[in-house]
Amino acid sequence: MLLPLSWLKEYVDVNIAPEELEKKLFDSGFEVEELIEVGKDISNVVVGYVEECEPIPETHLHVCKVDTGAHGKWQICCGADNVCAGGKFPVALIGAQVYATAKDHKTIEGVMTIKKGKLRGYESQGMLCSGTELGLTEDHYPGAGYNGLLVLPEDAPIGADVKPILGMDDYIFDVSITANRPDCQSIFGMAREVAAILGQEVKMPATDFTATEVVKEGFNVTVDAPDLCPRYSAHYIYDVKMGESPAWMKRRLALVGIGSISNIVDITNYILMELGQPMHAFDCNFLEGNAINVRRANNGEKITTLDEKEFTLTDNNLVICDGVKPVALAGIMGGLNSEIRDTTTEVMFESAKFARDNIRKSSRALGQVSDSSARYSKGVDEYATDMALRRACHLIEELGCGKVSSTHVDVNTGNSLEPTEMKVSISKVNAVLGIKVPDEDIIRILTNLCFAPEVNGDELTLHVPAYREDMADYPDVAEEVIRMYGYDHIVSTFMPTAAVTAGGLNLRQKTELRIKKALLTTGAYECIHYSFFSPNDLNMIRLPEDAPERHAIRLMNPINEDLSLMRTTLVPSMLNAIARNQKRGNYEGRLFELGNKFIAKDLPLTEYPDERETLCAGVFGEKEDFFTMKGIAEKVAETLSLKFTYEKTEKPFLHPYQAAVIKCEGIEIGYLGKVRYEIQDDLDMKNPAYVMEIDLRTVSQWYGRVPAYEPLPVFADEKRDLALVMDKEITCGQVEEVIASSCQFVKSIKLFDVYEGAQIGEGKKSMAFTVVFAPKGEAFGADTVDGYVKKILKNLKKQYEIEIRS
């Protein structure tokens, strides 16, 4: 929220520097995101008096003799059409900084430094300035919008700095208002806080007015949805004279980024910023039926708003209607059919409180956001609703743009605008803070905050203003006290049940970190996905209707349908990540994720789901294959000092001949395989993809296992390469198991080639292994290893009809 210092001073005496006030606001819980110095880019610009002004022949230029008081007299060339002798204008002296403008003299293109120069042979020692060159608009200062020089007041002291004269010596605080303090989303709301911080009196905005005896006969207001509109107030203004707003009002609106439109509209915008209460003005000439009705919209009902957008409404939307039709989208924007025009002569002011959740949902559903909807979405109190309407009537009289009638209608649900009593325990307040704040300081602070406190022993009685809807119990009182007393008074202490520990990671955290580091060494990148996925993701991986993965927990209020289920498998997230990479030109890569999947015991939930730690890896690219993924699995096994075995399996989303279940000590812990071609096509993948999923919860039973020590071998190892021909159905794991069980001296078995082709026959494949034999007590003899190989081949032949490839 933008808070101009000059506007703030209208309600509270600020006797400290802006920088100090910024710090005090921050210390009391209001983050100042930026302190903006108005006119900070402008320097060395003073009031100049043009003593002489002569035209330069055959040009539109004039050569002027300009008096700048103590700064001297200068010759300046100027091309503005309103330069004249006897006029006072801003003068940028040599070395001054002003804004550079485009050829249209309205668009600012940057900051420039004024230098001595020559125009048509005439020396120019400075520059006479327009409003644009000083960063001003017509709303900031009268005459600043003219495409010529900015004319200064006749009584402006010659040689004086122009900033105070033009209101450019101001500061604007950009304050971040937290969700629990909607009462501070206004200039006056922040003035109340600043007054409390500085110990000053807050000055109330004038709300007095004199109502005439004129009434609008037969006018009535009805509220059919009091749950969405607990208070609706209206006041009739007649004899309206449309015109411009005064300069002071236009300037204040300009400082907070709002352009002036007309006096009536400006009054509603002014009150929005001053009091935080959105208001609307209806042209009574376009209100049919002499009535206002607040109701839910009918399904399919249409309205065109002031920005000429048409919306089709539902009964979730709240509308303001006259006796016939909707004339405003409640809390969001008025209707085009009742807007204020130059011909307006009668106005009905509206000030209301609408349910914040309804306005927020309607604004989001319709895609229509306004300053009003932003305020209502955060919350508006009924105290401001009542005060704003009285303030609007006062401004009508002050600006002389209409007459205030006696017709005032207030429909409400009975909520009081008077302070409510709250009793709390001082000892409980201090217990929340962990320190004892002196009673006199508590009284002082709460008095400054307008709570009118009374103390009776340990009992503290507060009279909470109607605008402080955030005050509920003693923790809120504690917050108010400490933010004014100072957070630096809080002494750091342990919680009663706290204990000092050595800290560090537990076994699970250490092991998962080791797994991550190991996977990084394989060239894989870690990724993190949402814990949710879409029902379509389960369809995408071809899961049958009775698959356990479809027993997923549905969110009650999901962001959208694509994130509506808690994950029961990490594979869809990984496949979508691979597809996104390939669509963006990354055609090869390795990814992994350590995340949780959520397994419900019953649906609907009767207890918390089982959150199972899971590792999912994915590789893709022309050079990747099934054994790349198997190698990654082996890396995990090596890291954990485990041995994985693999058996053929089937998964609906994996290739029927390139899918394997992963086991450890006979227990199934996961699977890996190649993604089916159909799924790759559905996801527009250009290169093949492979995935692996391991249940780390199951693997965790082996966490902490350390590798067994083996002394360095005394005798040299012997290697043999075996190229074996077998049925295509036989797996690598089956072959390795036979080789290992056939000889106790087998140290390692490594697959290094797989071949399928006409040379080895239909239904057959060739797998080539490097087998390493390690002697234990003595070196191998010349024929010893050959004997082991014969035994291995014999067992392979016996169990699987495997032959040596010739």
Side-chain angles (χ1 to χ4, degrees):
M1 191 199 78
L2 298 180
L3 176 64
L5 182 59
S6 58
W7 199 347
L8 177 67
K9 287 182 177 180
E10 185 77 12
Y11 314 113
V12 60
D13 293 328
V14 179
N15 51 12
I16 58 176
E19 293 78 11
E20 186 177 353
L21 179 58
E22 177 187 18
K23 182 180 183 305
K24 287 184 177 293
L25 284 171
F26 184 83
D27 290 343
S28 60
F30 295 97
E31 180 186 357
V32 178
E33 296 183 346
E34 185 180 5
L35 178 59
I36 304 165
E37 181 183 352
V38 178
K40 68 175 181 177
D41 295 327
I42 306 301
S43 64
N44 212 19
V45 180
V46 300
V47 177
Y49 176 75
V50 178
E51 295 181 336
E52 300 175 8
C53 180
E54 298 294 334
I56 299 176
E58 299 180 356
T59 73
H60 71 290
L61 302 174
H62 291 78
V63 59
C64 306
K65 184 177 181 181
V66 184
D67 182 9
T68 59
H71 303 283
K73 295 184 178 182
W74 310 97
Q75 177 175 292
I76 299 176
C77 295
C78 178
D81 61 2
N82 63 337
V83 64
C84 61
K88 289 183 178 179
F89 310 100
V91 176
L93 302 172
I94 300 299
Q97 284 193 322
V98 296
Y99 290 112
T101 61
K103 291 182 179 180
D104 60 5
H105 302 292
K106 294 181 179 180
T107 306
I108 293 175
E109 293 188 332
V111 178
M112 66 177 178
T113 302
I114 301 302
K115 300 177 182 179
K116 184 185 295 186
K118 277 189 176 184
L119 288 174
R120 299 298 177 95
Y122 291 84
E123 190 174 79
S124 186
Q125 300 167 316
M127 186 176 79
L128 293 167
C129 300
S130 67
T132 305
E133 288 160 339
L134 300 179
L136 301 175
T137 66
E138 188 68 27
D139 288 344
H140 286 102
Y141 191 85
Y146 181 71
N147 189 14
L149 298 182
L150 176 60
V151 180
L152 299 177
E154 292 182 1
D155 59 353
I158 298 173
D161 189 348
V162 299
K163 284 188 177 182
I165 298 171
L166 301 175
M168 298 173 63
D169 57 343
D170 206 351
Y171 287 84
I172 300 174
F173 300 85
D174 189 353
V175 185
S176 176
I177 306 298
T178 53
N180 67 319
R181 293 303 305 274
D183 60 297
C184 292
Q185 56 181 358
S186 65
I187 308 296
F188 181 65
M190 286 304 302
R192 288 189 295 235
E193 293 296 317
V194 172
I197 293 169
L198 301 180
Q200 301 279 4
E201 291 291 329
V202 66
K203 305 169 189 176
M204 296 292 292
T207 57
D208 59 300
F209 61 91
T210 301
T212 68
E213 295 181 357
V214 173
V215 296
K216 189 168 179 61
E217 295 291 345
F219 176 76
N220 73 301
V221 175
T222 55
V223 178
D224 294 341
D227 56 324
L228 303 183
C229 179
R231 184 178 292 272
Y232 189 95
S233 301
H235 205 116
Y236 173 59
I237 308 297
Y238 68 101
D239 197 13
V240 172
K241 297 178 177 62
M242 298 299 296
E244 288 191 16
S245 299
W248 62 266
M249 179 176 283
K250 290 199 288 187
R251 179 180 181 276
R252 287 179 180 175
L253 290 174
L255 288 175
V256 294
I258 298 177
S260 175
I261 299 174
S262 67
N263 46 16
I264 298 297
V265 177
D266 288 355
I267 285 174
T268 62
N269 286 333
Y270 186 85
I271 290 174
L272 172 67
M273 304 311 299
E274 182 186 44
L275 301 180
Q277 171 66 50
M279 289 188 63
H280 189 65
F282 296 103
D283 188 328
C284 290
N285 291 326
F286 297 96
L287 290 181
E288 300 181 70
N290 202 26
I292 284 181
N293 175 231
V294 184
R295 62 170 173 81
R296 295 177 183 272
N298 299 317
N299 285 319
E301 195 167 24
K302 297 181 183 294
I303 187 173
T304 301
T305 51
L306 289 170
D307 56 0
E308 300 183 3
K309 294 180 182 178
E310 185 179 76
F311 296 97
T312 301
L313 309 178
T314 70
D315 58 6
N316 293 322
N317 307 128
L318 190 67
V319 290
I320 313 299
C321 303
D322 60 14
V324 176
K325 62 189 181 302
V327 291
L329 196 51
I332 299 176
M333 190 173 289
L336 188 63
N337 55 9
S338 61
E339 69 171 334
I340 299 299
R341 297 168 170 82
D342 293 339
T343 56
T344 298
T345 57
E346 298 175 89
V347 163
M348 188 65 69
F349 272 138
E350 165 199 281
S351 182
K353 175 180 171 68
F354 301 117
R356 68 179 75 182
D357 57 337
N358 176 263
I359 302 302
R360 182 173 60 252
K361 291 175 182 177
S362 291
S363 176
R364 182 181 297 176
L366 296 173
Q368 182 76 334
V369 179
S370 64
D371 288 337
S372 294
S373 67
R375 289 295 199 286
Y376 276 121
S377 295
K378 295 175 182 176
V380 169
D381 58 86
E382 294 184 50
Y383 180 88
T385 300
D386 175 73
M387 183 181 181
L389 196 53
R390 290 185 283 113
R391 177 64 168 158
C393 292
H394 171 87
L395 290 174
I396 286 289
E397 283 193 348
E398 182 178 338
L399 272 57
C401 56
K403 293 180 181 179
V404 182
S405 76
S406 298
T407 299
H408 174 86
V409 182
D410 180 45
V411 180
N412 63 77
T413 55
N415 294 329
S416 174
L417 301 182
E418 298 301 316
T420 56
E421 189 174 87
M422 176 194 292
K423 296 181 182 292
V424 298
S425 165
I426 294 178
S427 59
K428 284 188 175 181
V429 170
N430 286 325
V432 170
L433 302 177
I435 59 174
K436 179 173 175 54
V437 181
D439 288 358
E440 56 270 24
D441 285 316
I442 293 178
I443 295 297
R444 172 183 58 80
I445 290 168
L446 296 177
T447 299
N448 289 344
L449 290 169
C450 304
F451 288 115
E454 300 171 5
V455 175
N456 182 12
D458 186 54
E459 184 181 75
L460 176 64
T461 302
L462 304 179
H463 299 86
V464 182
Y467 56 81
R468 289 304 303 270
E469 296 180 345
D470 60 305
M471 299 296 293
D473 208 342
Y474 68 90
D476 302 307
V477 178
E479 180 183 3
E480 294 300 297
V481 169
I482 196 59
R483 72 186 183 88
M484 292 294 177
Y485 188 58
Y487 292 102
D488 54 332
H489 286 92
I490 295 178
V491 179
S492 298
T493 56
F494 280 116
M495 296 289 286
T497 57
V500 178
T501 64
L505 303 177
N506 58 32
L507 177 60
R508 180 185 63 81
Q509 292 169 327
K510 289 179 180 177
T511 305
E512 290 181 357
L513 186 59
R514 287 173 56 208
I515 293 172
K516 289 182 180 181
K517 289 181 177 179
L519 292 173
L520 292 175
T521 65
T522 68
Y525 290 88
E526 183 178 8
C527 51
I528 300 175
H529 300 118
Y530 285 119
S531 296
F532 324 112
F533 60 12
S534 167
N536 290 330
D537 287 334
L538 298 174
N539 297 331
M540 178 257 290
I541 60 174
R542 283 21 181 209
L543 289 177
E545 290 301 321
D546 59 348
E549 289 88 352
R550 289 191 178 273
H551 197 63
I553 304 164
R554 176 171 286 276
L555 300 185
M556 294 179 63
N557 189 23
I559 298 173
N560 53 51
E561 186 65 15
D562 289 341
L563 298 172
S564 61
L565 300 180
M566 303 294 289
R567 290 194 298 185
T568 52
T569 171
L570 274 58
V571 167
S573 300
M574 183 60 67
L575 292 179
N576 285 323
I578 293 173
R580 281 194 301 272
N581 273 274
Q582 294 202 31
K583 288 176 183 177
R584 294 172 184 174
N586 301 320
Y587 297 117
E588 58 182 32
R590 299 179 180 183
L591 305 173
F592 73 91
E593 177 186 11
L594 266 72
N596 289 352
K597 55 185 180 182
F598 302 84
I599 309 302
K601 296 180 180 177
D602 293 295
L603 287 179
L605 289 176
T606 56
E607 56 183 303
Y608 288 116
D610 184 15
E611 298 186 32
R612 301 191 69 84
E613 301 86 3
T614 304
L615 167 66
C616 184
V619 300
F620 57 100
E622 290 183 348
K623 298 180 180 179
E624 307 291 8
D625 56 26
F626 177 87
F627 298 101
T628 303
M629 186 56 78
K630 183 172 178 289
I632 292 176
E634 287 298 310
K635 188 66 177 181
V636 174
E638 178 187 342
T639 302
L640 301 180
S641 301
L642 301 175
K643 180 174 177 58
F644 290 169
T645 57
Y646 307 88
E647 297 178 6
K648 183 181 178 181
T649 190
E650 291 185 2
K651 293 282 182 182
F653 51 89
L654 296 180
H655 192 287
Y657 300 117
Q658 297 190 48
V661 66
I662 307 172
K663 291 186 175 182
C664 182
E665 297 184 5
I667 299 174
E668 184 175 329
I669 60 170
Y671 59 85
L672 59 86
K674 182 178 182 179
V675 179
R676 279 184 177 270
Y677 293 117
E678 308 95 275
I679 297 177
Q680 293 180 33
D681 291 341
D682 290 346
L683 294 174
D684 294 328
M685 294 186 189
K686 292 188 176 182
N687 288 332
Y690 303 81
V691 293
M692 173 184 73
E693 193 170 60
I694 295 178
D695 185 347
L696 294 181
R697 174 75 66 81
T698 303
V699 177
S700 65
Q701 62 185 295
W702 296 293
Y703 284 0
R705 177 174 291 189
V706 295
Y709 169 74
E710 291 185 8
L712 292 174
V714 178
F715 308 105
D717 293 342
E718 291 283 346
K719 294 182 181 180
R720 295 291 188 275
D721 290 340
L722 303 179
L724 307 172
V725 178
M726 65 202 76
D727 289 340
K728 188 181 292 186
E729 301 296 326
I730 298 174
T731 66
C732 174
Q734 291 173 314
V735 176
E736 289 180 347
E737 184 179 358
V738 173
I739 294 174
S741 63
S742 298
C743 178
Q744 62 175 324
F745 297 104
V746 173
K747 179 181 179 181
S748 66
I749 308 165
K750 183 177 180 181
L751 176 71
F752 67 86
D753 183 55
V754 178
Y755 174 75
E756 294 182 22
Q759 296 181 3
I760 55 175
E762 185 177 352
K764 299 286 186 177
K765 66 179 177 182
S766 169
M767 300 178 74
F769 297 87
T770 296
V771 183
V772 178
F773 299 88
K776 296 181 179 178
E778 58 182 2
F780 290 133
D783 300 325
T784 305
V785 175
D786 292 339
Y788 296 151
V789 171
K790 290 179 180 179
K791 184 177 180 182
I792 289 171
L793 295 175
K794 180 179 178 182
N795 289 337
L796 289 170
K797 172 70 174 177
K798 180 179 180 181
Q799 293 193 36
Y800 297 115
E801 292 293 326
I802 296 175
E803 302 281 355
I804 191 78
R805 183 177 176 183
S806 56

